[in-house]
Amino acid sequence: MCLKLGGDLRARAEIAVTGLVQGVGFRPFIYRLATHHGLTGFARNMGDAGVQVVVEGDKRAIEKFVNSLCPEKPPLARIDDIRVAWKNPTNEFAIFRVVPSETTGLGLPSVVPPDLALCDDCLHEMLDPSDRRYNYPFITCVNCGPRFTIIERLPYDRPRTSMNVFPLCTDCLREYQDPPDRRYHAEPTCCSICGPRMKLYDAEGNPIDVSEPLREVARLLDGGSVVAIKGVGGIHIASKTTEDGVLTRMRRAFNRFQQPFAVMSRDIRTIRTFAEVGKAEVELLTSFRRPIVVLQRSNDYMLSEFVAPGLDSVGVMLPYSGIHHLILSYGKDPAYVMTSANVAGLPMIIDNTEAFRKLRGGVDYFLLHDRLIVNRCDDSVIKEVDGKPAFLRRSRGYVPEPVKLAFTSDKKVLAVGAELNVTCSVLTGDRCFPSQHIGDTTKVETLKYMQSAVERLMRLLNLDSVDIVVHDLHPNYATTRIAPRMAKKLGARTLSAQHHHAHLVTLMAECGLSEFVGIAADGVGYGPDGTIWGGEVMLADLSSFKRVGGLMSQRMPGGDLAAIFPARMVAGILWQQLGREELERVLDEFCASSFRRGKREVDIVIRQLERDLNVFQTSSCGRVLDAIACLLGICDERTYEGEPAIKLEAAANKGDSEEVRLEPVIEKVDGMMVVNTSRLLVDILDALRARVSRRHIAAAAQRVIARGLASVAIDAASSKGIEVVGGSGGVFYNRAITAAVRKEVEKAGLRFVQHELLPPGDGGISVGQAIIAVQRP
């Protein structure tokens, strides 16, 4: 609709813009663009994370304005949809303005902004002695700073964040209201006069009067102290990385005897002094998301072995807040440990009072600030696997960005994940929103955190109910048991999804597929037959699956004990291959350290196998890798998730699979093609007795598993005329196994797909659960 006034054709356009458009400088951009085109009107944030724009002016100018939105948008913004309604002009506007936000929504799905790393402009100002924010660690602008971790509700405006208790000073308010300024409507903006402050405390929580607490912390760290440092999404435990003593002390204090620590280093050049960094890894490390990236150690690696015991890699990140930048600029170590501050299995600590209570005795000092962390958010972790990024943890910097689906659902779904490495997901319309990392829900405190994280995520999505709450098939998972209670509260029904099917559906959703042959390989997943699955080949679509093969089912004496002490799996896998006396000799020769009670425990395990008492069946690939690691003397106890398999991969990276002849043996069992993993362990024993290098055996054993699973998948795909094979589950963090599977699949003329957007492990499973819930008839 237009009106002709004089020689101009005037019009009014009411525009709804959705995507990642709040908290990324989009309204200031709209202001500048509208002013440039001579338009009047307004822009405002809306309650569902979209932006509403109303403009009046020459119709051709409005069309140019609309056409410029996507190509000229701010670098961190993402536009998913633009809807324009043409109206008659009202001539009510004299200028273009950014106006107060509206709590109602546009009725269209949009995106809550994630946390953004400190931008180069703010970093330069923070390090400039002439700047008024010199050395102020909470410096920020429209292009950087906390977002998700400070948001209490939408629309994203300062009063609805934890910055609401820090009124802007005169100078900051002037910048906030000045359209040309980089801090125009930058909601977290502040300075040393009006913003949060850092304070240093001793081990007992008593404040220490020091003029430059961050400089003092750097000095303390270099001197060998352990310091709890409050950052953006939670509290880290920090120490130097070049001294064994401080690291072993920290490991004892927090009961993390083997788990690798992440480290933070000041820049790429420094990282290259101890790790290998490729082009893709540089891009990840320097991105505004700033994840931890798992890198291979370099030949010149000089950090302590206690940073990542038994591994050939190290998880590294660059500074992403002013706090980190300043500490590292003052420090002398090439890197500092920055690991989540939490008791093993519990959520990362975010509250100052809680930090004093729970960390006392484990740290020497506390560096804390007075800004509330609304949404706890651990660091994201990525590992490059066969040339593709694989999330070990998708959290800070990525959450709560959604996964765009190839379909639109009229049902709203909450998926609660599995048991370990849990995330939850909310599916609405054509988007699925995974939560931040939640963790180990066997702990009551973590389960409570899961519920609060779900409540906050639903609040940000403007949802107060869902239609379905979907959970894992395993009846004993805490998430399974709590799902009915959550469903009752949300007015929903419950539904269960098989663990490995959910893994594969997550991958299909990433790749825009509706069916494929999938290899689901991990540590544990409950099968419909009541056994533990984990090495499966499935013909899968978005609503159903058929198990067509995989790894041989093996005995698991002692149940969960066999997942902690892998020598039990060695016994179970070799039980029908060796006589009792021979098996006892093998266990004594190669696995004695795994039996803490010596021969007495070995006898108990053997009797369990003889009587089939407390013996479970499992086809888990993770348990087979554990057994191989134990048999090769690489790892005899799992102290953190995936430890034996991770250490096996590290050993295999130094080996050559061509140095030992191991081949997969595939047999037909109960109508399915299965890889005989008992035969594999016998072949490994033969190689050990032939004195073949253990690292070569490790490499060859991984290749056998990869080639065996790939062969079963290729046959299944070929028989059904399917051209795509996918790999999901924690085993697909293994570079060598993933590459070997891909090689076999592509050699057969098929396409291989793997995860890039969501974790292959259980951190991605809730997305698949949610999709199954809406696709199932």
Side-chain angles (χ1 to χ4, degrees), residues 555 575 580 603-615:
R555 291 167 176 80
W575 173 244
R580 174 173 178 150
D603 290 340
I604 291 171
V605 171
I606 297 292
R607 285 200 300 272
Q608 286 177 325
L609 289 166
E610 286 176 335
R611 300 173 186 177
D612 199 25
L613 183 67
N614 195 27
V615 174

Coordinates of all heavy atoms in Angstrom, one line a residue, residues 555 575 580 603-615:
R555 N 29.9 -61.3 27.5 CA 29.6 -61.4 28.9 C 30.2 -60.2 29.6 O 31.4 -59.9 29.4 CB 30.0 -62.7 29.5 CG 29.2 -63.9 29.0 CD 29.9 -65.2 29.4 NE 29.1 -66.3 29.0 CZ 29.0 -66.8 27.7 NH1 29.7 -66.3 26.8 NH2 28.2 -67.9 27.5
W575 N 36.1 -65.8 27.7 CA 35.6 -66.9 28.5 C 35.3 -68.2 27.7 O 35.7 -69.3 28.1 CB 34.3 -66.5 29.2 CG 33.6 -67.7 29.9 CD1 32.3 -68.2 29.7 CD2 34.1 -68.5 31.0 NE1 32.0 -69.2 30.5 CE2 33.1 -69.4 31.4 CE3 35.3 -68.4 31.8 CZ2 33.2 -70.3 32.4 CZ3 35.4 -69.3 32.8 CH2 34.4 -70.3 33.1
R580 N 39.6 -72.6 31.6 CA 39.7 -71.8 32.9 C 41.2 -71.6 33.3 O 41.6 -70.4 33.6 CB 39.0 -72.6 34.0 CG 39.2 -71.9 35.3 CD 38.4 -72.5 36.5 NE 38.8 -71.7 37.7 CZ 37.9 -71.5 38.7 NH1 36.7 -72.0 38.6 NH2 38.3 -70.9 39.8
D603 N 39.1 -65.3 41.2 CA 38.3 -66.5 41.4 C 36.8 -66.2 41.4 O 36.0 -66.9 40.9 CB 38.7 -67.2 42.7 CG 40.0 -67.8 42.7 OD1 40.5 -68.1 41.6 OD2 40.6 -68.0 43.8
I604 N 36.5 -65.0 42.0 CA 35.0 -64.6 42.1 C 34.5 -64.4 40.6 O 33.4 -64.8 40.3 CB 34.9 -63.3 42.9 CG1 35.2 -63.6 44.4 CG2 33.5 -62.7 42.7 CD1 35.3 -62.4 45.3
V605 N 35.3 -63.7 39.8 CA 34.9 -63.4 38.5 C 34.7 -64.7 37.7 O 33.7 -64.9 36.9 CB 35.9 -62.5 37.8 CG1 35.6 -62.3 36.3 CG2 35.9 -61.1 38.4
I606 N 35.7 -65.6 37.8 CA 35.6 -66.9 37.1 C 34.3 -67.7 37.5 O 33.6 -68.2 36.7 CB 36.8 -67.8 37.4 CG1 38.1 -67.1 36.8 CG2 36.6 -69.2 36.8 CD1 38.1 -67.0 35.3
R607 N 34.0 -67.7 38.8 CA 32.8 -68.4 39.3 C 31.6 -67.7 38.8 O 30.6 -68.4 38.5 CB 32.8 -68.4 40.9 CG 33.8 -69.4 41.5 CD 33.4 -69.8 42.9 NE 33.3 -68.6 43.8 CZ 34.4 -68.2 44.5 NH1 35.6 -68.8 44.3 NH2 34.3 -67.1 45.2
Q608 N 31.5 -66.4 38.7 CA 30.4 -65.7 38.1 C 30.2 -66.2 36.7 O 29.0 -66.4 36.3 CB 30.6 -64.2 38.1 CG 30.5 -63.5 39.5 CD 30.8 -62.0 39.4 OE1 31.6 -61.6 38.7 NE2 30.1 -61.3 40.3
L609 N 31.2 -66.3 35.9 CA 31.1 -66.7 34.5 C 30.7 -68.2 34.5 O 29.8 -68.5 33.6 CB 32.5 -66.5 33.8 CG 32.8 -65.1 33.6 CD1 34.3 -65.0 33.2 CD2 32.0 -64.5 32.5
E610 N 31.2 -69.0 35.3 CA 30.8 -70.4 35.3 C 29.3 -70.6 35.6 O 28.7 -71.5 35.0 CB 31.7 -71.2 36.4 CG 33.1 -71.4 35.9 CD 33.9 -72.1 37.0 OE1 33.6 -72.0 38.2 OE2 34.9 -72.8 36.7
R611 N 28.8 -69.9 36.6 CA 27.5 -70.0 37.1 C 26.5 -69.1 36.4 O 25.3 -69.1 36.6 CB 27.4 -69.8 38.6 CG 28.3 -70.8 39.4 CD 28.3 -70.4 40.8 NE 29.2 -71.2 41.6 CZ 29.5 -71.1 42.9 NH1 28.9 -70.1 43.6 NH2 30.3 -71.9 43.5
D612 N 27.1 -68.2 35.5 CA 26.2 -67.2 34.8 C 25.5 -66.4 35.9 O 24.3 -66.0 35.7 CB 25.3 -67.8 33.8 CG 24.7 -66.8 32.8 OD1 25.5 -65.8 32.6 OD2 23.6 -67.0 32.3
L613 N 26.2 -66.0 36.9 CA 25.6 -65.3 38.1 C 26.1 -63.8 38.1 O 27.3 -63.6 38.0 CB 26.0 -66.0 39.4 CG 25.4 -65.4 40.7 CD1 23.9 -65.6 40.7 CD2 26.1 -66.1 41.9
N614 N 25.2 -62.9 38.1 CA 25.5 -61.4 38.0 C 26.4 -61.2 36.8 O 27.3 -60.4 36.8 CB 26.2 -61.0 39.3 CG 26.3 -59.5 39.4 OD1 25.4 -58.8 38.9 ND2 27.3 -58.9 40.0
V615 N 26.0 -61.8 35.7 CA 26.7 -61.6 34.4 C 25.7 -61.0 33.4 O 24.6 -61.6 33.2 CB 27.3 -62.9 33.8 CG1 27.8 -62.7 32.4 CG2 28.3 -63.5 34.8

